[in-house]
Amino acid sequence: MTDEIGQVRVVRVEDEMRTSYLDYAMSVIVARALPDVRDGLKPVHRRILYTMGEMGLSATSSYRKCAAIVGEVMGKYHPHGDMALYDALVRLAQDFSMRYPLVDGQGNFGSIDGDSAAAMRYTEARLTGIAAEMLADIDKNTVDFVDNYDGTQKEPTVLPARLPNLLVNGSSGIAVGMATNIPPHHLGEVCDAARALIKDPELTSDDLCKYVTGPDFPTGGTIFRYETRRNPITGESETVDAIREMYAHGRGRVVVRAQVAFEETRHGRMAIIVTELPYMVNKAALLEKMAELVGAKKLEGIADLRDESDRDGMRIYVEIKRDADPHRVLNNLFKHTAMQVAFNLNMLALVDGQPQTLPLKAVLQHYIDYRRQVVRRRTEFDLEKARARAHILEGLKIALDNLDEVIRTIRESADVEAARNNLIARFGLTEIQAQAILDMRLARLAALERKKIEDEYLEIIQVIAELEEILANPARILAVITDELGAIKAKYAGARRTRIADDSSREMTDEDLIADEDVVVTISRRGYIKRQPVATYRRQARGGKGIIGHVTREEDAVEHLLVANTHDWALFFTNRGRVFSAKVHTIVDASRQAKGIAIINLPGVQVEPGEVPMATITLSDFNAGKFLVMATRNGIVKKSPLEQFEKVRSSGIIAITIAPDDELAWVDVATGKDDVIVATAQGKIARFPEKEVRPMGRPAAGVIGIRLASPTDRVVGMSVVQPTADLLVLTETGYGKRVPLTEFRPMHRGSQGVRLISLEGRKTGDVAAVQQVTEQDEELLLISAGGQVVRTETNTINRYSSGARGVIVMRLNAGDRVVGIAAFRAGLAQRGGMSDNGPEGTEPAPKGGKPE
């Protein structure tokens, strides 16, 4: 090789390759592929934003052609290909790529389907409001400037960045031998975390996770916090908090799923509706993959597939075949398509020009340290300007105080130079002050103008004192940063889009797909069952008419209603004494207007002709030591250990042997030390100790619990007594009351009971249902045979003695009757999204609590 002066120089090829490649690698790392930890931008994005700021393209200005912007950036600061530059500009404007877009685009800037943007000659752009925060104070000597590629311009090495953009908008890039992949986050959470770290620098990354709950992707979706992994040392499975681990080390992964919902079609089928996709998933490619898997028969049970997205949002419609399980189809979609993906985080950024993998705290601390420098430099700049202005105002005040002499001095001077020198010599002014006096207009001599100068001087003296205080006290600088972060959060943060789910199981099972929420399960007399979210029914006061919760068909009526969790087991006891089991989430999720599906169509439920499910209970587990207490219409009771019902065949198992003229109707869980109450339609109630009913095997027939005084009487309710509980009694016509259970003393099993409520023939009808209620935060769902449902708080129903009739609790339509009650905790329902706001058209309850 020859050097610059032409002399021969011997160089080994491997040394030259090593040196040249390292130079190339560092150039890619520092100048192209990795973001700076301070402003979170790569050089190309920084140059685009700075150029648009120079062009005056603020959020309130008119748009400019992207071709003009690209040309300006390329000509002054970025000597690379125009298409690569335009692609970078386009990404800054895509609301599905950037959590908080920095460019406001007008025209076709691409889509989530993978469509490319229109040519730059067609599209226009300007900065967004939040981009102005990235450039704020750049003209106040807050950042260093360097020469551009040809030395004709100056460009910033970093932007002032009032917001922590590296975390807020994230970044991705592939350098030489390294890569970065930082997800976007919610602006409000990041600002809160930064403010907390300013207040307490000892906080760890784990502590900061209280504020930064996880990535917040612009496309929404659901992130799973917990992940089950196999310990490489012990070989055992363990549950880890993937989000906390990821932020603690600066690298890791989280699982992201699409947001879906079930919808009933007009043909009575179920459809899966996809409204949000994981970050960076191409919707068109996803649909193509789904269609390919359906054609290859790897995805079964799908009848129709189409994209119904429009300007109102995304909507992928997947119709399920009539005989297919919607949850199993959804499971396979998550398993085989990009509706579930893993996002691999690698928080790699440039720190003082060197690439570093940073945990959450380090990213925020570097940003705070940088903002401390920016605020100090800005304050020094403002202080210098304020002092310069105060200096001029002091000269003007001297001139105004000696106005006649100043005028005479100027008039006696031969020229401007002499006048300036004479003013300096006579009044002790500086050259700047003297020039300001010479430049002052005569209009400033008016009395009001003179007052303005004095007021401005007093104001600027206060500003100087404030700025000097900030510079002298480091805590004041941190307070300024804290206030600015709070203002940005309030102005731009908005609502979080990505949900965080606390799910520890990453094994793809059907149950892995089911949200943990409270639902209302309704069962009709003909055996149709469905579930709905508790929030379907709004809370009302006593006496409301409610809404239709179950549409019934001819010769059918709603018989049972209960509140359960989607992950509970449901045990169905038939009139013939057999029991079947199914998970609550396998019950179809249907609308209020739908009748649901027949119980016999549930997985694991194969009832025989003439056999009807009469009693349903839900259990989270089958704890040993507990019992199931059962009661029949004729007053027979029985107790069996709960663990005998943990494994139920699809053909069912025997729970109790029933007499030919009787049927099983009620089941409850007991501990072995409780009392049992049995209520009848003609207003009688018997309370006796549970221990008087000995535990029996499943085929046993049971013993007498209450003796019916009349052949026409029947049992309408049985339950295990809870301490300090009230008994809610509801008649067929809607009258009801609460009676403290302490009014009914325990008797021996087999008695005729005592009076429960005063019945008045057709006005009240017979007792329709009884329900124990415990505390005032408990709520009720009341349902009629016609499908009418009222949701109300327990404390809206007054307490009365056993001899009282009660008040109107539910107003019914003509010919309708009450059939059931379900009680649940308000707190549990609120976790499922319960709201006091319900459908319009419901009638308010009458005021007052006296018997009608």
Side-chain angles (χ1 to χ4, degrees):
M1 294 183 62
T2 59
D3 56 19
E4 290 83 354
I5 60 176
Q7 293 182 342
V8 177
R9 181 166 59 93
V10 178
V11 179
R12 298 177 61 188
V13 173
E14 55 266 33
D15 293 340
E16 181 63 26
M17 289 292 293
R18 182 181 298 109
T19 302
S20 299
Y21 190 79
L22 286 174
D23 291 342
Y24 160 74
M26 288 307 298
S27 173
V28 172
I29 290 169
V30 175
R32 292 182 65 180
L34 298 184
D36 194 293
V37 71
R38 296 169 293 179
D39 63 1
L41 297 173
K42 300 177 186 179
V44 62
H45 300 128
R46 187 179 301 118
R47 289 164 178 167
I48 290 172
L49 295 181
Y50 178 67
T51 301
M52 292 180 71
E54 277 191 316
M55 296 172 69
L57 299 180
S58 68
T60 57
S61 70
S62 58
Y63 293 90
R64 285 287 301 277
K65 286 289 185 183
C66 288
I69 298 172
V70 169
E72 192 81 3
V73 177
M74 188 167 57
K76 288 185 176 181
Y77 308 113
H78 199 73
H80 300 282
D82 58 340
M83 287 310 300
L85 189 57
Y86 180 51
D87 289 343
L89 172 64
V90 165
R91 188 179 187 280
L92 292 176
Q94 291 176 336
D95 58 4
F96 53 87
S97 297
M98 303 285 287
R99 180 60 180 87
Y100 298 90
L102 300 176
V103 171
D104 178 11
Q106 183 170 266
N108 177 15
F109 276 78
S111 72
I112 199 170
D113 288 325
D115 301 321
S116 58
M120 67 180 80
R121 63 182 178 272
Y122 298 121
T123 57
E124 298 177 331
R126 63 184 180 186
L127 294 173
T128 60
I130 201 168
E133 305 293 346
M134 295 290 295
L135 294 164
D137 306 320
I138 198 170
D139 56 346
K140 293 186 176 182
N141 193 33
T142 51
V143 296
D144 295 331
F145 281 74
V146 295
D147 289 336
N148 68 337
Y149 63 92
D150 61 359
T152 60
Q153 302 284 338
K154 293 287 186 180
E155 63 174 307
T157 57
V158 64
L159 297 187
R162 281 189 180 176
L163 63 144
N165 185 63
L166 182 64
L167 288 173
V168 168
N169 273 318
S171 184
S172 62
I174 301 175
V176 179
M178 60 188 69
T180 185
N181 196 29
I182 304 172
H185 293 79
H186 187 256
L187 175 61
E189 294 182 355
V190 176
C191 288
D192 286 343
R195 295 169 74 187
L197 188 58
I198 290 173
K199 185 177 180 180
D200 183 5
E202 300 301 319
L203 292 177
T204 64
S205 293
D206 192 63
D207 296 329
L208 294 171
C209 286
K210 298 175 184 177
Y211 305 94
V212 181
T213 58
D216 186 25
F217 299 114
T219 53
T222 300
I223 293 174
F224 291 91
R225 171 178 293 279
Y226 297 104
E227 189 167 9
T228 301
R229 302 175 185 169
R230 187 172 298 278
N231 189 308
I233 299 176
T234 64
E236 297 180 354
S237 296
E238 58 183 11
T239 300
V240 297
D241 190 328
I243 293 178
R244 289 180 180 269
E245 186 179 74
M246 180 176 70
Y247 287 140
H249 303 292
R251 60 169 60 94
R253 66 165 230 159
V254 290
V255 175
V256 190
R257 281 184 182 169
Q259 185 67 17
V260 300
F262 289 108
E263 183 178 287
E264 187 177 13
T265 70
R266 61 181 179 178
H267 305 299
R269 294 179 177 177
M270 297 302 295
I272 298 171
I273 307 299
V274 183
T275 55
E276 298 173 6
L277 289 178
Y279 187 49
M280 301 305 292
V281 170
N282 186 310
K283 175 160 63 71
L286 173 65
L287 287 165
E288 185 178 343
K289 179 67 174 179
M290 287 182 182
E292 178 185 329
L293 292 173
V294 171
K297 298 191 181 302
K298 291 183 179 179
L299 277 180
E300 297 182 347
I302 295 179
D304 191 14
L305 173 66
R306 58 179 180 267
D307 185 5
E308 298 181 346
S309 305
D310 55 22
R311 66 180 60 190
D312 295 326
M314 180 186 300
R315 181 181 167 91
I316 299 175
Y317 178 91
V318 182
E319 186 172 323
I320 309 302
K321 292 180 179 178
R322 195 177 301 276
D323 59 345
D325 181 0
H327 298 289
R328 193 173 299 279
V329 173
L330 180 60
N331 185 4
N332 287 324
L333 286 173
F334 283 136
K335 191 172 185 178
H336 297 294
T337 73
M339 283 178 59
Q340 173 176 299
V341 298
F343 185 94
N344 294 288
L345 176 141
N346 187 18
M347 207 110 68
L348 184 71
L350 295 175
V351 180
D352 297 328
Q354 299 296 320
Q356 292 184 19
T357 300
L358 304 167
L360 177 61
K361 178 181 179 179
V363 175
L364 291 172
Q365 190 61 61
H366 282 301
Y367 171 76
I368 293 168
D369 294 342
Y370 170 61
R371 281 301 295 175
R372 187 187 288 118
Q373 297 175 12
V374 169
V375 172
R376 175 171 288 280
R377 291 178 64 165
R378 182 185 68 191
T379 306
E380 290 171 348
F381 180 88
D382 290 340
L383 180 60
E384 183 180 348
K385 288 288 187 182
R387 285 173 174 170
R389 181 59 181 166
H391 182 65
I392 292 175
L393 291 174
E394 287 170 353
L396 295 180
K397 281 173 57 63
I398 293 174
L400 293 174
D401 292 340
N402 303 276
L403 185 58
D404 294 338
E405 191 173 351
V406 168
I407 293 173
R408 184 165 53 253
T409 300
I410 296 173
R411 291 181 62 184
E412 292 173 354
S413 301
D415 54 23
V416 173
E417 184 67 26
R420 182 165 51 247
N421 292 334
N422 292 336
L423 288 173
I424 292 172
R426 181 167 300 182
F427 299 103
L429 303 173
T430 65
E431 184 174 345
I432 294 175
Q433 289 175 326
Q435 186 62 45
I437 292 172
L438 292 173
D439 293 339
M440 186 173 61
R441 297 170 55 202
L442 292 176
R444 302 298 298 274
L445 301 178
L448 289 178
E449 292 298 320
R450 295 173 64 179
K451 181 68 167 56
K452 286 181 181 179
I453 292 175
E454 294 173 355
D455 292 343
E456 183 184 358
Y457 179 73
L458 292 175
E459 181 180 342
I460 209 161
I461 290 298
Q462 295 175 354
V463 171
I464 291 172
E466 177 72 13
L467 295 175
E468 289 176 340
E469 169 66 17
I470 292 175
L471 291 174
N473 188 355
R476 287 294 306 277
I477 293 179
L478 293 176
V480 170
I481 299 172
T482 299
D483 292 343
E484 289 179 350
L485 288 171
I488 289 173
K489 172 190 172 182
K491 188 173 182 180
Y492 298 107
R496 185 179 177 86
R497 297 181 185 177
T498 301
R499 302 156 192 81
I500 306 295
D502 293 338
D503 190 345
S504 61
S505 173
R506 291 274 48 82
E507 295 295 328
M508 290 303 299
T509 64
D510 288 345
E511 200 155 350
D512 186 42
L513 314 170
I514 308 304
D516 189 357
E517 62 177 348
D518 294 313
V519 294
V520 176
V521 179
T522 55
I523 306 172
S524 75
R525 181 186 302 162
R526 296 182 62 183
Y528 283 89
I529 187 171
K530 68 175 182 178
R531 63 180 171 93
Q532 300 165 263
V534 173
T536 303
Y537 308 101
R538 78 168 191 174
R539 187 183 297 116
Q540 289 186 321
R542 174 183 63 80
K545 291 195 67 173
I547 60 176
I548 294 299
H550 192 118
V551 174
T552 56
R553 301 298 186 260
E554 292 182 5
E555 299 181 359
D556 196 10
V558 176
E559 284 285 349
H560 303 286
L561 177 147
L562 63 151
V563 176
N565 188 277
T566 49
H567 288 263
D568 287 347
W569 282 98
L571 297 182
F572 302 97
F573 295 82
T574 72
N575 57 336
R576 293 184 179 177
R578 293 202 302 156
V579 60
F580 300 85
S581 68
K583 280 287 191 176
V584 170
H585 64 73
T586 62
I587 301 171
V588 64
D589 185 0
S591 66
R592 292 190 296 110
Q593 290 75 24
K595 68 176 181 179
I597 64 172
I599 292 180
I600 60 174
N601 291 330
L602 288 177
V605 180
Q606 298 179 6
V607 299
E608 297 176 353
E611 194 173 15
V612 179
M614 297 295 292
T616 303
I617 63 169
T618 57
L619 301 166
S620 58
D621 53 46
F622 294 84
N623 290 335
K626 291 189 177 181
F627 301 89
L628 284 185
V629 178
M630 293 163 264
T632 71
R633 293 285 185 188
N634 291 343
I636 301 298
V637 296
K638 177 192 171 182
K639 183 172 71 175
S640 297
L642 180 58
E643 58 264 26
Q644 293 184 4
F645 299 88
E646 183 171 5
K647 297 180 180 179
V648 179
R649 298 185 298 270
S650 60
S651 58
I653 59 176
I654 296 175
I656 182 175
T657 300
I658 298 293
D661 61 341
D662 200 0
E663 61 181 11
L664 176 64
W666 291 274
V667 181
D668 203 353
V669 179
T671 64
K673 302 177 182 179
D674 302 310
D675 285 353
V676 177
I677 54 172
V678 180
T680 73
Q682 295 181 3
K684 294 291 186 178
I685 183 171
R687 175 176 179 174
F688 53 86
E690 177 199 335
K691 64 183 179 181
E692 292 192 2
V693 183
R694 62 179 178 84
M696 305 177 187
R698 290 189 293 101
V703 295
I704 296 175
I706 186 173
R707 296 184 186 276
L708 302 179
S710 167
T712 60
D713 200 4
R714 66 191 184 283
V715 175
V716 295
M718 181 279 298
S719 63
V720 175
V721 174
Q722 302 176 43
T724 68
D726 291 342
L727 187 66
L728 176 64
V729 187
L730 201 61
T731 71
E732 292 177 329
T733 60
Y735 280 85
K737 65 178 180 178
R738 282 190 293 159
V739 185
L741 281 173
T742 53
E743 286 202 11
F744 309 109
R745 62 180 178 85
M747 307 171 67
H748 288 296
R749 175 183 60 80
S751 70
Q752 291 188 358
V754 297
R755 185 166 62 170
L756 171 63
I757 187 173
S758 177
L759 300 176
E760 300 180 8
R762 295 178 60 184
K763 183 171 184 177
T764 60
D766 288 342
V767 174
V770 295
Q771 172 69 48
Q772 282 191 85
V773 292
T774 53
E775 300 176 4
Q776 291 191 349
D777 65 342
E778 199 161 14
E779 296 190 18
L780 301 170
L781 288 175
L782 317 177
I783 193 164
S784 73
Q788 184 178 321
V789 176
V790 168
R791 174 183 163 194
T792 187
E793 293 181 352
T794 303
N795 58 9
T796 63
I797 302 174
N798 293 339
R799 287 188 178 93
Y800 294 98
S801 67
S802 60
R805 179 188 62 192
V807 296
I808 286 290
V809 175
M810 183 177 185
R811 296 187 181 276
L812 302 169
N813 297 320
D816 203 358
R817 63 182 178 84
V818 174
V819 294
I821 314 170
F824 57 93
R825 297 283 185 192
L828 292 176
Q830 287 165 357
R831 287 205 306 270
M834 184 180 298
S835 170
D836 286 336
N837 298 322
E840 296 180 358
T842 54
E843 296 183 11
K847 297 181 179 179
K850 297 181 180 180
E852 299 178 21

